[in-house]
Amino acid sequence: MKKSLLTIALISAIYGITTPVSAFAKDVNLLNVSYDPTRELYQDFNKAFAAYWKTKTGDNVIVKTSHGGSGKQARAIIDGLDADVATLALAYDVDQLSEKGKLIPKDWQKRLGHNSSPYTSTIVLLVRKGNPKGIKDWDDLVKPGISVITPNPKTSGGARWNYLAAWAFAQKKFGGDEAKTKEFVGKLLKNVPVLDTGARGSTTTFVERGIGDVLLAWENEAFLAQKELGVGKFEIVVPSLSILAEPPVTVVDKFAKKHGNEVVAKAYLDYLYTEEGQEIAAKNYYRPTLESVAKKYEKQFPKSNLVKIDEEFGGWQKAQKTHFSDGGTFDQIYQK
Amino acid sequence: MKFNYSTFSLALITSGLITLPAISHANDSAELEDLRNLVQELSQKVKILERKGENNDEAAAAAKKESPVIKASSSGFSFASPDGKNEIKFRGLLQADHRHFSDGANDVRGRSNERAGNLNPDGFHSAEDTSLLRRVRPTIEGKVGGKYGFRFTPEFAGGSASAVDAYVEANLSPGLKIRAGKQKSIVGLERLQGGGDIKFVERSYVTNAILPNRDLGVTVSGDLFENKLNYGVGIVNGVADGGNISTGTEYNGEREYTARLFATPFVDSANALSGLGFGIGATWTDYTGEKNLNFTDTTAADATRNGLPSYVTEGQQTFFRYTSNAIADGKRIRWSPQANYYYGPLGVIAEYARVSQDVSLANNGSPAAGGAAAGASVITAGTHKNLKHDAWDVGVSYLITGEDASFKGVKPKQDFDLDKGGWGAWELVARYSEINLDSDTFKNAAGVYAAEGSGIGNAFSDLTKSAKSAETWTLGLNWYLNTNAKVSLNYARTSFDCGALRKGLAQTTNNNASGSNVRDREDEDALLARFQVAF
């Protein structure tokens, strides 16, 4: 009797030692709902995170991503697209997940470093090779005959950054004269022949369809277009003044909890702040926030004079209400 | 030097000749540049228009994804969310019938509620020809969140509105469906066939007489092994044989348990067995008879007042009733093996059902009426019995126009259309069905046939009034005008064992102890016609 017990104990011990962790591994599905130009970033990042999570826990994490105009994506989540994490273009869209969707706490931005923006970017001007129209700054975009490509601020986060960058330039140029600023931005919008719903759509319009003289673009998107989508066909023009774009990220608590993904979703976002995550961001032309990585990629990003949304526009809530809500300045000056 | 005009002219002309192409060249360059600019401008405009078109297409595609899907088809009218997870459907079934009787009685003899007027020589009222609306059932069914749904089907036929189906359900997976509310009993095969899909004008004795119709409760069902095995279990209030529970009545505190297994093992095969299905259903309950006494709710149908049924013919004429003081008292167990088979235009359905019913008699007035004025009715000691009734049927259908037969409706190869020459689908049907009641039903505790007025009482029914078996041959024709419209014609001949008083005896004479005063109830010859629209 004792002999058989001993045998069972031994077999159990050997089994316990030799059974690989993978025998108990589970598959985890995670949905990241993001904005338009982050496709390449998260393609790389998801692979890295899956490998990291596998090593750490033994679990197989499969991250699916959905991309589109930031505002549109936020509305989709509120309407039931059950994202575990949201990585959107601007804080106002994430605020909506709290205010309208009750999906995340109001103080979501405090949960992660740098106001929950693991990487930043800015708005630059992408022109065709040789800069045939001689575009050097925002001033040039309001000239007659200049065709400007930018997406629709009603649906695209990138477009809102573009609009505010132009607005900030005009305000400075006209010493805060709102009427003249409005007129300036109005003239610029008159030069826009097509309003795409998202930044990637505008890139397609400019790069692939050959429409327009200048694309107002995320810096990362401009680099991508220049180095990967149309090598040697485009040049980046850094305007004299632009805006610091801080795309935020958050766990969508309600859906992550529903899927039992709270831990992995948080780990996914935390991983964006690690050296590995920051390296991936930098390689995809996003400005890293981790100092060591930022220093390493310092030369990649041109020095720019950047205004901040909080300082220049009183934060996203105010900027949204003033410029992009129904009846805001965009509605007032944009004529189809 | 003398000015030479000719030389000058020549020089002018020559210089003109020389310089003309240069001027012309300069003009060409400017035009070319203009043309180039124009082409570029037009090219941009075309590209912009194309891009706007692309964006509009994308916007339209996105809008389509968000637009509700509205459908109007032969299977009903519906509108649904673009992802199909939320949907409301409107469906309907309307059957206009005519029944013609060349022979037959309209109820059991001596029925207490018989109408005034002349009885026929056998002591019965004759079965009356009638036109009626058999089913008038609009249906609203819906789905929310993809997995949860409901169905509400009122019935407007029969003079008053009632709820035929009213349930909510959770379709958690193909193998797990939970349904709560008033619903079809899961036990019988022909019962589970839609009211618009049945092959005969009326269902068989197995379905209409023995097995439950609709009940209130919770059922769990599902398809397993790639739809090769369907299971169902339920806990319901319990209804008398053939009973259709009213939505608000629970006349007995006991639960009835129901279960069914149905296999279609060859469903994925391409051979002749692919259309074979077989299974078994059962119900079990145990009533405390005393709970069936002293009812004050007199609005419920008397078939369910005492927990016992009455049985009807295919022409829907009652040929068997329990005596008014009989009550369900104890166990009721039903079981029903069943099978169907479809191969090309041929369809066969066969079922057997047996009910084992514990009964007792009550005294001091009718339990259904709440007892006599003098006091509440009570169970009569020594009257408890177990009765076993059974029924079976085999029905065959054949689509002579070559369509495939199925458990569900028929889709004609060509719709009936006088202009285009289509004649719809035509189907021949034939069925034999019978029901046999336990002889003990008609005997008292001592095993003697008893009858009201004979001095010998305490039986559960009277052989001179109720038949103890019925056998029916049904022949028919179905004409499917299209998927939604059907015309049916059935001829049903039913013969009975007992159920009438021997000729020549006064109507006040009842059967004697041996039952020798009994003869067979007159055969019923019924022609049943139906015009149906279902969607």
Side-chain angles (χ1 to χ4, degrees), chain B residues 374-386:
Chain B
S377 55
V378 293
I379 290 174
T380 308
T383 58
H384 187 79
K385 272 189 183 182
N386 172 261

Side-chain angles (χ1 to χ4, degrees), chain B residues 143-414:
Chain B
K143 185 167 62 171
V144 286
K147 291 182 175 176
Y148 308 98
F150 68 89
R151 179 184 170 113
F152 175 59
T153 302
E155 172 70 274
F156 294 105
S160 63
S162 62
V164 176
D165 290 311
Y167 59 76
V168 292
E169 63 183 0
N171 290 298
L172 302 178
S173 74
L176 183 60
K177 183 164 70 179
I178 301 166
R179 187 178 284 179
K182 188 181 176 189
Q183 55 194 290
K184 271 188 178 181
S185 166
I186 59 171
V187 178
L189 179 60
E190 195 188 19
R191 175 60 64 197
L192 290 171
Q193 198 167 29
D197 297 333
I198 52 176
K199 298 292 183 182
F200 299 85
V201 171
E202 296 295 343
R203 290 181 167 102
S204 70
Y205 294 119
V206 169
T207 310
N208 267 347
I210 304 286
L211 298 180
N213 181 344
R214 279 172 167 83
D215 212 335
L216 264 167
V218 178
T219 57
V220 178
S221 63
D223 294 313
L224 305 175
F225 310 117
E226 296 174 330
N227 297 331
K228 290 186 174 69
L229 183 68
N230 176 270
Y231 77 93
V233 291
I235 302 176
V236 292
N237 282 353
V239 286
D241 298 350
N244 179 5
I245 201 164
S246 67
T247 47
T249 304
E250 164 58 64
Y251 65 91
N252 190 299
E254 311 299 338
R255 302 269 80 78
E256 184 160 67
Y257 303 93
T258 61
R260 178 176 180 261
L261 278 177
F262 195 80
T264 48
F266 312 108
V267 68
D268 293 335
S269 312
N271 59 33
L273 290 175
S274 64
L276 175 66
F278 53 86
I280 187 163
T283 74
W284 185 94
T285 191
D286 189 356
Y287 282 171
T288 304
E290 285 176 352
K291 290 184 179 176
N292 287 328
L293 300 174
N294 304 316
F295 269 90
T296 54
D297 176 9
T298 56
T299 58
D302 64 354
T304 57
R305 296 308 314 279
N306 52 8
L308 294 172
S310 54
Y311 297 141
V312 298
T313 66
E314 200 148 323
Q316 304 302 294
Q317 308 302 315
T318 305
F319 69 89
F320 170 83
R321 288 183 188 275
Y322 282 95
T323 56
S324 59
N325 59 334
I327 56 165
D329 182 24
K331 290 186 178 64
R332 178 178 63 219
I333 302 166
R334 304 183 186 101
W335 62 280
S336 173
Q338 52 200 253
N340 61 5
Y341 177 69
Y342 299 99
Y343 184 66
L346 175 69
V348 181
I349 186 167
E351 286 186 277
Y352 172 83
R354 184 175 181 86
V355 56
S356 167
Q357 174 75 64
D358 284 357
V359 290
S360 290
L361 294 173
N363 57 33
N364 203 16
S366 161
S377 55
V378 293
I379 290 174
T380 308
T383 58
H384 187 79
K385 272 189 183 182
N386 172 261
L387 303 176
K388 293 181 176 66
H389 313 313
D390 66 6
W392 65 273
D393 68 86
V394 178
V396 181
S397 61
Y398 189 85
L399 280 149
I400 54 180
T401 41
E403 287 81 358
D404 285 338
S406 79
F407 190 65
K408 294 189 173 176
V410 171
K411 183 172 172 50
K413 285 180 176 173
Q414 283 185 315

